[in-house]
PDB file of all heavy atoms in Angstrom:
ATOM      1  N   PRO A   1      -1.686   3.871  -8.405  1.00  0.00           N
ATOM      2  CA  PRO A   1      -2.604   4.741  -7.757  1.00  0.00           C
ATOM      3  C   PRO A   1      -3.054   4.083  -6.408  1.00  0.00           C
ATOM      4  O   PRO A   1      -3.362   2.906  -6.305  1.00  0.00           O
ATOM      5  CB  PRO A   1      -3.836   4.745  -8.698  1.00  0.00           C
ATOM      6  CG  PRO A   1      -3.731   3.449  -9.505  1.00  0.00           C
ATOM      7  CD  PRO A   1      -2.198   3.192  -9.622  1.00  0.00           C
ATOM      8  N   VAL A   2      -3.081   4.943  -5.367  1.00  0.00           N
ATOM      9  CA  VAL A   2      -3.568   4.416  -4.025  1.00  0.00           C
ATOM     10  C   VAL A   2      -4.616   5.441  -3.535  1.00  0.00           C
ATOM     11  O   VAL A   2      -5.067   6.298  -4.252  1.00  0.00           O
ATOM     12  CB  VAL A   2      -2.297   4.383  -3.051  1.00  0.00           C
ATOM     13  CG1 VAL A   2      -1.316   3.303  -3.511  1.00  0.00           C
ATOM     14  CG2 VAL A   2      -1.623   5.701  -2.897  1.00  0.00           C
ATOM     15  N   GLY A   3      -4.930   5.318  -2.240  1.00  0.00           N
ATOM     16  CA  GLY A   3      -5.905   6.297  -1.612  1.00  0.00           C
ATOM     17  C   GLY A   3      -5.296   7.653  -1.424  1.00  0.00           C
ATOM     18  O   GLY A   3      -4.096   7.951  -1.695  1.00  0.00           O
ATOM     19  N   THR A   4      -6.108   8.526  -0.772  1.00  0.00           N
ATOM     20  CA  THR A   4      -5.605   9.924  -0.542  1.00  0.00           C
ATOM     21  C   THR A   4      -4.912   9.998   0.740  1.00  0.00           C
ATOM     22  O   THR A   4      -5.138   9.299   1.725  1.00  0.00           O
ATOM     23  CB  THR A   4      -6.861  10.802  -0.543  1.00  0.00           C
ATOM     24  OG1 THR A   4      -7.754  10.406   0.381  1.00  0.00           O
ATOM     25  CG2 THR A   4      -7.433  10.977  -1.928  1.00  0.00           C
ATOM     26  N   GLY A   5      -3.883  10.955   0.750  1.00  0.00           N
ATOM     27  CA  GLY A   5      -3.096  11.179   1.927  1.00  0.00           C
ATOM     28  C   GLY A   5      -2.187  10.010   2.332  1.00  0.00           C
ATOM     29  O   GLY A   5      -2.151   9.730   3.620  1.00  0.00           O
ATOM     30  N   PRO A   6      -1.562   9.376   1.472  1.00  0.00           N
ATOM     31  CA  PRO A   6      -0.743   8.268   1.885  1.00  0.00           C
ATOM     32  C   PRO A   6       0.441   8.757   2.895  1.00  0.00           C
ATOM     33  O   PRO A   6       0.973   9.856   2.609  1.00  0.00           O
ATOM     34  CB  PRO A   6      -0.075   7.834   0.492  1.00  0.00           C
ATOM     35  CG  PRO A   6      -0.205   8.951  -0.408  1.00  0.00           C
ATOM     36  CD  PRO A   6      -1.426   9.688   0.007  1.00  0.00           C
ATOM     37  N   GLY A   7       0.655   7.964   3.850  1.00  0.00           N
ATOM     38  CA  GLY A   7       1.622   8.480   4.943  1.00  0.00           C
ATOM     39  C   GLY A   7       2.761   7.607   5.022  1.00  0.00           C
ATOM     40  O   GLY A   7       3.916   8.105   5.124  1.00  0.00           O
ATOM     41  N   SER A   8       2.680   6.295   4.914  1.00  0.00           N
ATOM     42  CA  SER A   8       3.816   5.365   5.122  1.00  0.00           C
ATOM     43  C   SER A   8       3.774   4.133   4.324  1.00  0.00           C
ATOM     44  O   SER A   8       2.565   3.871   3.830  1.00  0.00           O
ATOM     45  CB  SER A   8       3.981   4.921   6.626  1.00  0.00           C
ATOM     46  OG  SER A   8       4.269   5.879   7.431  1.00  0.00           O
ATOM     47  N   VAL A   9       4.799   3.552   4.003  1.00  0.00           N
ATOM     48  CA  VAL A   9       4.800   2.245   3.304  1.00  0.00           C
ATOM     49  C   VAL A   9       5.644   1.298   3.961  1.00  0.00           C
ATOM     50  O   VAL A   9       6.709   1.530   4.578  1.00  0.00           O
ATOM     51  CB  VAL A   9       5.311   2.442   1.813  1.00  0.00           C
ATOM     52  CG1 VAL A   9       6.722   2.948   1.779  1.00  0.00           C
ATOM     53  CG2 VAL A   9       5.147   1.183   1.060  1.00  0.00           C
ATOM     54  N   SER A  10       5.273   0.034   3.955  1.00  0.00           N
ATOM     55  CA  SER A  10       6.101  -1.069   4.552  1.00  0.00           C
ATOM     56  C   SER A  10       6.021  -2.255   3.674  1.00  0.00           C
ATOM     57  O   SER A  10       4.994  -2.569   3.103  1.00  0.00           O
ATOM     58  CB  SER A  10       5.551  -1.459   5.967  1.00  0.00           C
ATOM     59  OG  SER A  10       6.461  -2.513   6.620  1.00  0.00           O
ATOM     60  N   ILE A  11       7.156  -3.056   3.585  1.00  0.00           N
ATOM     61  CA  ILE A  11       7.210  -4.133   2.657  1.00  0.00           C
ATOM     62  C   ILE A  11       7.163  -5.514   3.514  1.00  0.00           C
ATOM     63  O   ILE A  11       7.875  -5.488   4.544  1.00  0.00           O
ATOM     64  CB  ILE A  11       8.600  -4.083   1.853  1.00  0.00           C
ATOM     65  CG1 ILE A  11       8.693  -2.750   1.178  1.00  0.00           C
ATOM     66  CG2 ILE A  11       8.517  -5.221   0.816  1.00  0.00           C
ATOM     67  CD1 ILE A  11       7.713  -2.360   0.231  1.00  0.00           C
ATOM     68  N   ALA A  12       6.498  -6.447   3.094  1.00  0.00           N
ATOM     69  CA  ALA A  12       6.413  -7.707   3.738  1.00  0.00           C
ATOM     70  C   ALA A  12       7.717  -8.426   3.626  1.00  0.00           C
ATOM     71  O   ALA A  12       8.548  -8.084   2.708  1.00  0.00           O
ATOM     72  CB  ALA A  12       5.355  -8.604   3.053  1.00  0.00           C
ATOM     73  N   PRO A  13       8.136  -9.329   4.605  1.00  0.00           N
ATOM     74  CA  PRO A  13       9.415  -9.814   4.613  1.00  0.00           C
ATOM     75  C   PRO A  13       9.766 -10.616   3.378  1.00  0.00           C
ATOM     76  O   PRO A  13      10.980 -10.746   3.012  1.00  0.00           O
ATOM     77  CB  PRO A  13       9.441 -10.682   5.850  1.00  0.00           C
ATOM     78  CG  PRO A  13       7.950 -10.876   6.222  1.00  0.00           C
ATOM     79  CD  PRO A  13       7.244  -9.648   5.701  1.00  0.00           C
ATOM     80  N   ASP A  14       8.820 -11.260   2.680  1.00  0.00           N
ATOM     81  CA  ASP A  14       9.173 -11.996   1.508  1.00  0.00           C
ATOM     82  C   ASP A  14       9.177 -11.037   0.238  1.00  0.00           C
ATOM     83  O   ASP A  14       9.526 -11.509  -0.856  1.00  0.00           O
ATOM     84  CB  ASP A  14       8.040 -13.027   1.270  1.00  0.00           C
ATOM     85  CG  ASP A  14       6.730 -12.531   1.058  1.00  0.00           C
ATOM     86  OD1 ASP A  14       6.444 -11.369   1.069  1.00  0.00           O
ATOM     87  OD2 ASP A  14       5.803 -13.399   0.915  1.00  0.00           O
ATOM     88  N   GLY A  15       8.978  -9.709   0.438  1.00  0.00           N
ATOM     89  CA  GLY A  15       9.067  -8.779  -0.654  1.00  0.00           C
ATOM     90  C   GLY A  15       7.950  -8.879  -1.650  1.00  0.00           C
ATOM     91  O   GLY A  15       7.848  -8.082  -2.605  1.00  0.00           O
ATOM     92  N   ALA A  16       6.885  -9.661  -1.326  1.00  0.00           N
ATOM     93  CA  ALA A  16       5.785  -9.814  -2.339  1.00  0.00           C
ATOM     94  C   ALA A  16       4.757  -8.671  -2.302  1.00  0.00           C
ATOM     95  O   ALA A  16       4.005  -8.457  -3.333  1.00  0.00           O
ATOM     96  CB  ALA A  16       5.139 -11.203  -2.147  1.00  0.00           C
ATOM     97  N   HIS A  17       4.610  -8.080  -1.174  1.00  0.00           N
ATOM     98  CA  HIS A  17       3.519  -7.033  -0.960  1.00  0.00           C
ATOM     99  C   HIS A  17       4.047  -5.840  -0.247  1.00  0.00           C
ATOM    100  O   HIS A  17       4.959  -5.962   0.668  1.00  0.00           O
ATOM    101  CB  HIS A  17       2.312  -7.656  -0.290  1.00  0.00           C
ATOM    102  CG  HIS A  17       1.579  -8.682  -1.030  1.00  0.00           C
ATOM    103  ND1 HIS A  17       1.962 -10.038  -0.926  1.00  0.00           N
ATOM    104  CD2 HIS A  17       0.590  -8.543  -1.966  1.00  0.00           C
ATOM    105  CE1 HIS A  17       1.113 -10.704  -1.752  1.00  0.00           C
ATOM    106  NE2 HIS A  17       0.326  -9.892  -2.334  1.00  0.00           N
ATOM    107  N   ALA A  18       3.488  -4.660  -0.608  1.00  0.00           N
ATOM    108  CA  ALA A  18       3.786  -3.431   0.067  1.00  0.00           C
ATOM    109  C   ALA A  18       2.524  -2.968   0.636  1.00  0.00           C
ATOM    110  O   ALA A  18       1.364  -3.183   0.029  1.00  0.00           O
ATOM    111  CB  ALA A  18       4.334  -2.418  -0.870  1.00  0.00           C
ATOM    112  N   TYR A  19       2.515  -2.252   1.833  1.00  0.00           N
ATOM    113  CA  TYR A  19       1.342  -1.800   2.538  1.00  0.00           C
ATOM    114  C   TYR A  19       1.443  -0.247   2.664  1.00  0.00           C
ATOM    115  O   TYR A  19       2.446   0.224   3.276  1.00  0.00           O
ATOM    116  CB  TYR A  19       1.078  -2.482   3.874  1.00  0.00           C
ATOM    117  CG  TYR A  19       0.962  -4.029   3.733  1.00  0.00           C
ATOM    118  CD1 TYR A  19       2.205  -4.812   3.629  1.00  0.00           C
ATOM    119  CD2 TYR A  19      -0.130  -4.540   3.589  1.00  0.00           C
ATOM    120  CE1 TYR A  19       2.069  -6.130   3.441  1.00  0.00           C
ATOM    121  CE2 TYR A  19      -0.370  -5.928   3.400  1.00  0.00           C
ATOM    122  CZ  TYR A  19       0.792  -6.740   3.350  1.00  0.00           C
ATOM    123  OH  TYR A  19       0.690  -8.049   3.179  1.00  0.00           O
ATOM    124  N   VAL A  20       0.524   0.491   2.161  1.00  0.00           N
ATOM    125  CA  VAL A  20       0.532   1.904   2.203  1.00  0.00           C
ATOM    126  C   VAL A  20      -0.698   2.450   2.948  1.00  0.00           C
ATOM    127  O   VAL A  20      -1.800   2.149   2.651  1.00  0.00           O
ATOM    128  CB  VAL A  20       0.497   2.517   0.776  1.00  0.00           C
ATOM    129  CG1 VAL A  20       0.490   4.025   0.825  1.00  0.00           C
ATOM    130  CG2 VAL A  20       1.692   2.043  -0.095  1.00  0.00           C
ATOM    131  N   THR A  21      -0.336   3.342   3.991  1.00  0.00           N
ATOM    132  CA  THR A  21      -1.480   3.875   4.711  1.00  0.00           C
ATOM    133  C   THR A  21      -2.065   5.174   3.974  1.00  0.00           C
ATOM    134  O   THR A  21      -1.305   5.989   3.422  1.00  0.00           O
ATOM    135  CB  THR A  21      -1.046   4.395   6.086  1.00  0.00           C
ATOM    136  OG1 THR A  21       0.087   5.305   5.994  1.00  0.00           O
ATOM    137  CG2 THR A  21      -0.642   3.208   6.987  1.00  0.00           C
ATOM    138  N   ASN A  22      -3.402   5.192   3.893  1.00  0.00           N
ATOM    139  CA  ASN A  22      -4.081   6.415   3.286  1.00  0.00           C
ATOM    140  C   ASN A  22      -4.788   7.119   4.427  1.00  0.00           C
ATOM    141  O   ASN A  22      -5.895   6.781   4.837  1.00  0.00           O
ATOM    142  CB  ASN A  22      -5.091   5.802   2.277  1.00  0.00           C
ATOM    143  CG  ASN A  22      -4.413   4.856   1.189  1.00  0.00           C
ATOM    144  OD1 ASN A  22      -3.378   5.322   0.667  1.00  0.00           O
ATOM    145  ND2 ASN A  22      -4.933   3.707   0.939  1.00  0.00           N
ATOM    146  N   GLN A  23      -4.150   8.264   4.819  1.00  0.00           N
ATOM    147  CA  GLN A  23      -4.632   8.921   6.005  1.00  0.00           C
ATOM    148  C   GLN A  23      -6.115   9.532   5.910  1.00  0.00           C
ATOM    149  O   GLN A  23      -6.906   9.440   6.830  1.00  0.00           O
ATOM    150  CB  GLN A  23      -3.688  10.115   6.326  1.00  0.00           C
ATOM    151  CG  GLN A  23      -2.244   9.621   6.670  1.00  0.00           C
ATOM    152  CD  GLN A  23      -1.363  10.745   6.870  1.00  0.00           C
ATOM    153  OE1 GLN A  23      -1.356  11.373   7.877  1.00  0.00           O
ATOM    154  NE2 GLN A  23      -0.598  11.166   5.801  1.00  0.00           N
ATOM    155  N   TYR A  24      -6.456  10.004   4.702  1.00  0.00           N
ATOM    156  CA  TYR A  24      -7.729  10.673   4.548  1.00  0.00           C
ATOM    157  C   TYR A  24      -8.870   9.727   4.177  1.00  0.00           C
ATOM    158  O   TYR A  24     -10.001   9.932   4.261  1.00  0.00           O
ATOM    159  CB  TYR A  24      -7.622  11.793   3.560  1.00  0.00           C
ATOM    160  CG  TYR A  24      -6.554  12.832   3.806  1.00  0.00           C
ATOM    161  CD1 TYR A  24      -5.730  13.294   2.783  1.00  0.00           C
ATOM    162  CD2 TYR A  24      -6.274  13.171   5.174  1.00  0.00           C
ATOM    163  CE1 TYR A  24      -4.683  14.180   3.139  1.00  0.00           C
ATOM    164  CE2 TYR A  24      -5.249  14.114   5.354  1.00  0.00           C
ATOM    165  CZ  TYR A  24      -4.528  14.620   4.465  1.00  0.00           C
ATOM    166  OH  TYR A  24      -3.516  15.389   4.803  1.00  0.00           O
ATOM    167  N   ASP A  25      -8.507   8.473   3.763  1.00  0.00           N
ATOM    168  CA  ASP A  25      -9.472   7.440   3.449  1.00  0.00           C
ATOM    169  C   ASP A  25      -9.652   6.476   4.601  1.00  0.00           C
ATOM    170  O   ASP A  25     -10.606   5.698   4.581  1.00  0.00           O
ATOM    171  CB  ASP A  25      -8.983   6.590   2.189  1.00  0.00           C
ATOM    172  CG  ASP A  25      -9.004   7.423   0.936  1.00  0.00           C
ATOM    173  OD1 ASP A  25      -9.618   8.576   0.926  1.00  0.00           O
ATOM    174  OD2 ASP A  25      -8.427   6.897  -0.055  1.00  0.00           O
ATOM    175  N   ASN A  26      -8.715   6.464   5.571  1.00  0.00           N
ATOM    176  CA  ASN A  26      -8.816   5.564   6.693  1.00  0.00           C
ATOM    177  C   ASN A  26      -8.686   4.169   6.176  1.00  0.00           C
ATOM    178  O   ASN A  26      -9.478   3.227   6.578  1.00  0.00           O
ATOM    179  CB  ASN A  26     -10.083   5.709   7.560  1.00  0.00           C
ATOM    180  CG  ASN A  26     -10.162   7.129   8.119  1.00  0.00           C
ATOM    181  OD1 ASN A  26      -9.182   7.772   8.346  1.00  0.00           O
ATOM    182  ND2 ASN A  26     -11.443   7.562   8.422  1.00  0.00           N
ATOM    183  N   THR A  27      -7.715   3.994   5.248  1.00  0.00           N
ATOM    184  CA  THR A  27      -7.548   2.582   4.617  1.00  0.00           C
ATOM    185  C   THR A  27      -6.121   2.290   4.495  1.00  0.00           C
ATOM    186  O   THR A  27      -5.115   3.255   4.500  1.00  0.00           O
ATOM    187  CB  THR A  27      -8.207   2.483   3.278  1.00  0.00           C
ATOM    188  OG1 THR A  27      -7.650   3.415   2.296  1.00  0.00           O
ATOM    189  CG2 THR A  27      -9.716   2.670   3.342  1.00  0.00           C
ATOM    190  N   VAL A  28      -5.816   1.090   4.170  1.00  0.00           N
ATOM    191  CA  VAL A  28      -4.417   0.645   3.662  1.00  0.00           C
ATOM    192  C   VAL A  28      -4.541  -0.019   2.424  1.00  0.00           C
ATOM    193  O   VAL A  28      -5.343  -0.941   2.188  1.00  0.00           O
ATOM    194  CB  VAL A  28      -3.876  -0.297   4.727  1.00  0.00           C
ATOM    195  CG1 VAL A  28      -2.535  -0.965   4.298  1.00  0.00           C
ATOM    196  CG2 VAL A  28      -3.598   0.341   6.088  1.00  0.00           C
ATOM    197  N   SER A  29      -3.695   0.499   1.457  1.00  0.00           N
ATOM    198  CA  SER A  29      -3.598  -0.225   0.105  1.00  0.00           C
ATOM    199  C   SER A  29      -2.595  -1.260   0.132  1.00  0.00           C
ATOM    200  O   SER A  29      -1.479  -1.091   0.608  1.00  0.00           O
ATOM    201  CB  SER A  29      -3.220   0.879  -0.935  1.00  0.00           C
ATOM    202  OG  SER A  29      -4.165   1.839  -1.074  1.00  0.00           O
ATOM    203  N   VAL A  30      -2.973  -2.456  -0.417  1.00  0.00           N
ATOM    204  CA  VAL A  30      -2.025  -3.602  -0.451  1.00  0.00           C
ATOM    205  C   VAL A  30      -1.616  -3.749  -1.928  1.00  0.00           C
ATOM    206  O   VAL A  30      -2.449  -3.774  -2.904  1.00  0.00           O
ATOM    207  CB  VAL A  30      -2.798  -4.925  -0.078  1.00  0.00           C
ATOM    208  CG1 VAL A  30      -1.765  -6.049  -0.150  1.00  0.00           C
ATOM    209  CG2 VAL A  30      -3.374  -4.812   1.263  1.00  0.00           C
ATOM    210  N   ILE A  31      -0.244  -3.620  -2.133  1.00  0.00           N
ATOM    211  CA  ILE A  31       0.249  -3.508  -3.467  1.00  0.00           C
ATOM    212  C   ILE A  31       1.003  -4.844  -3.805  1.00  0.00           C
ATOM    213  O   ILE A  31       1.841  -5.278  -3.018  1.00  0.00           O
ATOM    214  CB  ILE A  31       1.271  -2.326  -3.642  1.00  0.00           C
ATOM    215  CG1 ILE A  31       0.486  -1.074  -3.507  1.00  0.00           C
ATOM    216  CG2 ILE A  31       1.920  -2.461  -5.054  1.00  0.00           C
ATOM    217  CD1 ILE A  31       1.405   0.193  -3.479  1.00  0.00           C
ATOM    218  N   ASP A  32       0.744  -5.435  -4.830  1.00  0.00           N
ATOM    219  CA  ASP A  32       1.526  -6.712  -5.384  1.00  0.00           C
ATOM    220  C   ASP A  32       2.773  -6.023  -5.971  1.00  0.00           C
ATOM    221  O   ASP A  32       2.665  -5.416  -7.048  1.00  0.00           O
ATOM    222  CB  ASP A  32       0.674  -7.411  -6.376  1.00  0.00           C
ATOM    223  CG  ASP A  32       1.431  -8.681  -6.875  1.00  0.00           C
ATOM    224  OD1 ASP A  32       2.575  -8.609  -7.180  1.00  0.00           O
ATOM    225  OD2 ASP A  32       0.707  -9.697  -7.068  1.00  0.00           O
ATOM    226  N   THR A  33       3.911  -6.376  -5.456  1.00  0.00           N
ATOM    227  CA  THR A  33       5.140  -5.730  -6.000  1.00  0.00           C
ATOM    228  C   THR A  33       5.678  -6.424  -7.208  1.00  0.00           C
ATOM    229  O   THR A  33       6.590  -5.771  -7.915  1.00  0.00           O
ATOM    230  CB  THR A  33       6.310  -5.938  -4.911  1.00  0.00           C
ATOM    231  OG1 THR A  33       6.542  -7.278  -4.565  1.00  0.00           O
ATOM    232  CG2 THR A  33       5.891  -5.143  -3.561  1.00  0.00           C
ATOM    233  N   THR A  34       5.131  -7.490  -7.653  1.00  0.00           N
ATOM    234  CA  THR A  34       5.490  -8.177  -8.909  1.00  0.00           C
ATOM    235  C   THR A  34       4.765  -7.487 -10.043  1.00  0.00           C
ATOM    236  O   THR A  34       5.344  -7.114 -11.162  1.00  0.00           O
ATOM    237  CB  THR A  34       5.192  -9.677  -8.970  1.00  0.00           C
ATOM    238  OG1 THR A  34       5.920 -10.313  -7.870  1.00  0.00           O
ATOM    239  CG2 THR A  34       5.530 -10.241 -10.231  1.00  0.00           C
ATOM    240  N   THR A  35       3.479  -7.210  -9.844  1.00  0.00           N
ATOM    241  CA  THR A  35       2.720  -6.569 -10.918  1.00  0.00           C
ATOM    242  C   THR A  35       2.531  -5.042 -10.671  1.00  0.00           C
ATOM    243  O   THR A  35       2.072  -4.351 -11.628  1.00  0.00           O
ATOM    244  CB  THR A  35       1.341  -7.203 -10.981  1.00  0.00           C
ATOM    245  OG1 THR A  35       0.608  -6.924  -9.732  1.00  0.00           O
ATOM    246  CG2 THR A  35       1.393  -8.705 -11.161  1.00  0.00           C
ATOM    247  N   SER A  36       2.997  -4.475  -9.612  1.00  0.00           N
ATOM    248  CA  SER A  36       2.814  -3.116  -9.397  1.00  0.00           C
ATOM    249  C   SER A  36       1.374  -2.742  -9.371  1.00  0.00           C
ATOM    250  O   SER A  36       0.978  -1.518  -9.984  1.00  0.00           O
ATOM    251  CB  SER A  36       3.673  -2.212 -10.286  1.00  0.00           C
ATOM    252  OG  SER A  36       5.033  -2.511  -9.956  1.00  0.00           O
ATOM    253  N   THR A  37       0.494  -3.479  -8.817  1.00  0.00           N
ATOM    254  CA  THR A  37      -0.953  -3.122  -8.817  1.00  0.00           C
ATOM    255  C   THR A  37      -1.511  -3.275  -7.391  1.00  0.00           C
ATOM    256  O   THR A  37      -0.922  -4.077  -6.617  1.00  0.00           O
ATOM    257  CB  THR A  37      -1.758  -4.031  -9.787  1.00  0.00           C
ATOM    258  OG1 THR A  37      -1.609  -5.302  -9.253  1.00  0.00           O
ATOM    259  CG2 THR A  37      -1.347  -3.905 -11.226  1.00  0.00           C
ATOM    260  N   VAL A  38      -2.529  -2.500  -7.096  1.00  0.00           N
ATOM    261  CA  VAL A  38      -3.217  -2.610  -5.855  1.00  0.00           C
ATOM    262  C   VAL A  38      -4.103  -3.860  -5.880  1.00  0.00           C
ATOM    263  O   VAL A  38      -5.011  -3.935  -6.858  1.00  0.00           O
ATOM    264  CB  VAL A  38      -3.954  -1.309  -5.516  1.00  0.00           C
ATOM    265  CG1 VAL A  38      -4.810  -1.512  -4.181  1.00  0.00           C
ATOM    266  CG2 VAL A  38      -3.052  -0.191  -5.270  1.00  0.00           C
TER     267      VAL A  38
END
């Protein structure tokens, strides 16, 4: 689960985190790619 209106995702070079833009919340969700949690 992330914020509303997600637009893009980008992965950190070490693969440990993903960054998702939430257009309607004006936020970015940070995801731990090992645990699949924000």
